[in-house]
Amino acid sequence: GKHIASGGGEDCVTLIWDAESGNLVEELEGHMDWVQCGAYSPDGTRFVSGSDDGTLRLWDTRSWHMIGKSMTGHSGYVNSVAFSPDGSLIASASYDSTIRLWNGFTGETSGQPLTRHEGGAECVAFSPDGTLVASGGRDHTIHIRSVRTRSSVGEPLRGHTDDISSVAFSPD
């Protein structure tokens, strides 16, 4: 990739860097609290940032202008964001205990929250085919949901004895 994105603390910005030269390309402003996470769309045309202010922001990577309005719906810190493999959806995990889905092109919310993790949701990932979303939380569980039906796929996975800070699907 040509660019590296980094989220800031008290400065509340996302910085975009040229990966080759190390030069600062753009400063994405607008969040009102720490920027905790970010992700590029698979085709690289969009970038989403998530913040402790409870919002997400969707950016056009050609102009670095925000697409639409600030994405609201969470009532706690946004800890993790991910694009679906086809770029049509964004998933977000928040300390408000929910996983939310958003339109990956407009930033509009896509239905009701998927999962409630007691104490907060920490991380989220799409399956390689985009049909499932996995999330991990402070309740030491992993939930798997169908994107299409939004229903649980089996029981929550248990085995961790502390917060779950990352989830990932294997590519096979």
Side-chain angles (χ1 to χ4, degrees):
K2 308 187 320 186
H3 296 120
I4 296 170
S6 60
E10 292 182 3
D11 60 8
C12 308
V13 299
T14 300
L15 298 180
I16 307 299
W17 306 89
D18 183 290
E20 233 177 77
S21 70
N23 293 330
L24 181 63
V25 173
E26 193 66 46
E27 189 171 320
L28 306 179
E29 298 178 326
H31 284 296
M32 303 307 288
D33 208 337
W34 291 38
V35 178
Q36 291 290 352
C37 52
Y40 281 95
S41 62
D43 65 2
T45 62
R46 288 155 287 133
F47 179 81
V48 64
S49 55
S51 170
D52 281 0
D53 65 11
T55 69
L56 291 81
R57 291 177 182 265
L58 186 60
W59 307 90
D60 180 322
T61 60
R62 292 172 290 248
S63 65
W64 294 112
H65 291 120
M66 194 168 76
I67 299 169
K69 297 178 181 175
S70 179
M71 298 158 65
T72 60
H74 285 298
S75 60
Y77 300 167
V78 177
N79 298 312
S80 178
V81 292
F83 271 95
S84 62
D86 67 0
S88 67
L89 290 172
I90 297 166
S92 58
S94 171
Y95 269 175
D96 69 4
S97 301
T98 66
I99 304 301
R100 291 187 172 272
L101 294 180
W102 312 83
N103 181 301
F105 298 101
T106 67
E108 295 294 320
T109 188
S110 180
Q112 295 299 312
L114 293 183
T115 298
R116 292 203 63 83
H117 283 278
E118 294 299 320
E122 294 278 348
C123 51
V124 66
F126 282 96
S127 62
D129 64 4
T131 62
L132 302 174
V133 174
S135 61
R138 299 185 79 185
D139 58 5
H140 314 172
T141 66
I142 298 167
H143 291 261
I144 303 170
R145 294 276 185 159
S146 164
V147 171
R148 186 177 58 76
T149 67
R150 297 179 180 248
S151 60
S152 291
V153 178
E155 293 296 314
L157 307 179
R158 300 179 190 281
H160 285 279
T161 58
D162 206 347
D163 299 358
I164 298 171
S165 57
S166 66
V167 291
F169 282 91
S170 65
D172 53 359

